[in-house]
Amino acid sequence: MLPKISGVRIKMSFAAALLRVWEEYSAVLTSSGYALFNIEAHVFSVIVLAILFNRQQNSSDQTEARVIWSRLLFVQILVCISQVVRVLADVDIIPDAHTSHYAIRAVHSALFGLMCWLVFVYIETFQQSGIVKTSARKFLTACPLFVLIVLSLFAGDLFPVVHLVYPLASVLLAVMRRRKMTRYERDTTPAAAIYPAFFVACVPVQALNWRMPFLCYVIVIADIFVYISYADSLVSIDPLTKIHNKNGLVRELSERLARGNPETLHVFALDVDNLNAVNASYGRTEGDRALVIIAGALKKLCEEEHPCYISRYYGDEFIITADIHDDEERELFTEHIRNYISNAATAKDLHYHIRVNIGWAKYEQFSRTETITGLIEEADRAMYEDKEKRRFAAMWNAGR
């Protein structure tokens, strides 16, 4: 029995020590000595957020999601500034009037709620969710915000917990959608669940004592994470088709070869046979649309028929990597590529046909196809052979 009693005493002593540390820390925060450190933290956060806001304002990417993120950055700057004002009022630098302090707290609460709502709208727009597809739906999602602001006025320093509903909803919806996402959608939306999770994690801690300069640092870290994720997607994701580009392909093949057992690895190269004619007849916008249709068909193929990796290599050429075990499976896979593209073009009711040339190469050790460059070049060579065969067959049939 003695060891158990000793263990209980140790646990109680540890808990008591933690409680004492927290009480002492709270006492320090309650005194005016915390103010300088708190203000410095929020001024630093404002500077970083202002830099990110300025870069986004000058960015060529002004899609709806990026515009909303820019507005979110601006609101976050206001949240940090309002926190500085609240601290100044707390240490009586701003005249001690009940009305002014109440107004400062109300404005800070409203800005915090607006920030949480914009986090929700940004993530839903980023994922192209129907929840915020129209302005009317955005307004409906904002209705609870007004109720939360009113409730927070009577919740004292616990108001952040009330606003937590928006980022928490973003995390739950993102996790639910991720289960149904393809590999490409997961790669292009890394911030969908992680970004609002920052707020879910930090808001309860901030609610324990509003004087802690904790939230501002979390905001900065979260926005830097979004910025880095976006920059990384620009490097490896094709902006038109939203699939991987050449950089992403090289990284994928490097990882695939490093994992070992690449004997079943096949690389398929395909290009659009008549894209120049489409550009000449219907304009380059229609040509871009054709590329997007092909990318969508290939993504659907990889999701429904055969796990694979697709990328837009350059121009009108796409590269697909897949594990193929025999000649019959390879022929079936090639046929699926053509059928999925043809069906996608038919579903869009295009005024022209989309025809593709396909070549393939298989990994073989101690040959030129044991390297990434060799695999892609061999697949390219086979693709151009297929193109010449089809061109010769078309000329032969026209001359008969």
Side-chain angles (χ1 to χ4, degrees):
M1 294 296 293
L2 289 175
K4 292 184 179 179
I5 295 174
S6 178
V8 171
R9 289 178 177 175
I10 291 174
K11 291 179 181 178
M12 292 179 63
S13 299
F14 181 71
L18 285 178
L19 181 61
R20 184 173 181 179
V21 169
W22 174 254
E23 290 175 350
E24 292 178 354
Y25 182 61
S26 297
V28 171
L29 289 177
T30 304
S31 68
S32 60
Y34 83 97
L36 181 60
F37 175 69
N38 192 296
I39 292 173
E40 288 177 347
H42 284 84
V43 169
F44 167 78
S45 300
V46 167
I47 293 173
V48 175
L49 293 172
I51 292 173
L52 293 176
F53 177 76
N54 180 67
R55 291 189 66 87
Q56 174 54 33
Q57 289 294 101
N58 296 326
S59 172
S60 59
D61 185 359
Q62 295 297 323
T63 58
E64 184 179 7
R66 301 298 294 179
V67 170
I68 292 174
W69 185 60
S70 177
R71 295 170 183 171
L72 175 57
L73 287 171
F74 182 73
V75 171
Q76 288 169 343
I77 291 173
L78 295 181
V79 168
C80 291
I81 293 175
S82 69
Q83 176 69 7
V84 171
V85 175
R86 192 176 183 189
V87 170
L88 294 176
D90 187 52
V91 296
D92 296 328
I93 294 179
I94 294 178
D96 185 11
H98 177 73
T99 303
S100 62
H101 285 206
Y102 187 84
I104 291 171
R105 188 167 68 88
V107 170
H108 182 68
S109 173
L111 289 172
F112 190 92
L114 180 61
M115 179 189 70
C116 291
W117 174 71
L118 282 174
V119 168
F120 174 80
V121 174
Y122 166 65
I123 295 300
E124 293 303 298
T125 304
F126 185 69
Q127 294 189 293
Q128 299 179 347
S129 168
I131 297 176
V132 293
K133 190 174 184 179
T134 63
S135 299
R137 292 185 179 184
K138 287 188 181 71
F139 178 78
L140 288 176
T141 61
C143 289
L145 171 64
F146 305 126
V147 178
L148 292 175
I149 291 175
V150 173
L151 291 176
S152 67
L153 296 178
F154 302 96
D157 292 337
L158 296 179
F159 76 89
V161 177
V162 182
H163 297 308
L164 187 64
V165 62
Y166 279 114
L168 183 60
S170 295
V171 172
L172 294 176
L173 289 172
V175 170
M176 291 171 60
R177 293 191 189 107
R178 188 173 179 83
R179 296 179 180 179
K180 301 179 181 179
M181 284 182 179
T182 64
R183 176 180 183 178
Y184 302 95
E185 291 170 328
R186 293 192 192 102
D187 289 345
T188 55
T189 58
I194 299 176
Y195 182 67
F198 279 106
F199 297 90
V200 174
C202 85
V203 167
V205 177
Q206 183 69 51
L208 293 174
N209 195 316
W210 69 268
R211 295 179 177 88
M212 291 189 298
F214 183 66
L215 179 63
C216 62
Y217 288 128
V218 172
I219 289 175
V220 168
I221 294 171
D223 285 314
I224 290 177
F225 168 76
V226 169
Y227 184 79
I228 293 175
S229 298
Y230 176 69
D232 183 63
S233 70
L234 291 179
V235 174
S236 59
I237 302 297
D238 177 57
L240 175 64
T241 59
K242 305 304 179 184
I243 62 175
H244 294 280
N245 58 17
K246 183 177 179 179
N247 294 328
L249 171 67
V250 172
R251 183 167 60 185
E252 165 65 17
L253 284 174
S254 299
E255 294 174 356
R256 176 66 182 82
L257 293 175
R259 287 197 297 266
N261 299 322
E263 290 77 14
T264 59
L265 176 62
H266 282 62
V267 172
F268 295 81
L270 63 117
D271 74 346
V272 187
D273 192 38
N274 57 332
L275 187 63
N276 289 333
V278 172
N279 289 332
S281 301
Y282 302 98
R284 292 193 174 274
T285 301
E286 188 63 28
D288 289 344
R289 184 186 176 212
L291 295 175
V292 172
I293 291 172
I294 293 172
L298 295 177
K299 285 192 288 187
K300 188 175 181 182
L301 164 67
C302 293
E303 181 180 356
E304 297 179 352
E305 295 293 342
H306 196 117
C308 55
Y309 183 96
I310 62 175
S311 63
R312 184 186 177 194
Y313 195 60
Y314 66 84
D316 63 345
E317 182 173 349
F318 295 82
I319 297 289
I320 307 173
T321 68
D323 286 305
I324 305 294
H325 297 86
D326 52 45
D327 293 343
E328 182 179 353
E329 185 180 3
R330 182 175 60 245
E331 291 178 2
L332 182 62
F333 185 70
T334 303
E335 182 180 351
H336 280 155
I337 293 174
R338 297 189 190 278
N339 289 339
Y340 268 78
I341 292 175
S342 177
N343 293 338
T346 302
K348 296 297 182 179
D349 194 24
L350 302 179
H351 300 291
Y352 50 88
H353 297 287
I354 296 180
R355 298 185 298 271
V356 294
N357 307 294
I358 304 176
W360 61 271
K362 178 184 177 181
Y363 172 88
E364 292 183 356
Q365 197 173 14
F366 307 118
S367 70
R368 68 188 306 268
T369 59
E370 72 172 351
T371 65
I372 295 175
T373 303
L375 275 168
I376 295 174
E377 288 180 351
E378 183 64 21
D380 267 338
R381 185 193 62 78
M383 179 189 68
Y384 284 109
E385 285 184 359
D386 182 61
K387 178 184 291 189
E388 290 300 319
K389 289 179 182 178
R390 289 177 172 273
R391 184 176 301 172
F392 180 78
M395 293 172 59
W396 175 263
N397 291 332
R400 293 179 61 181

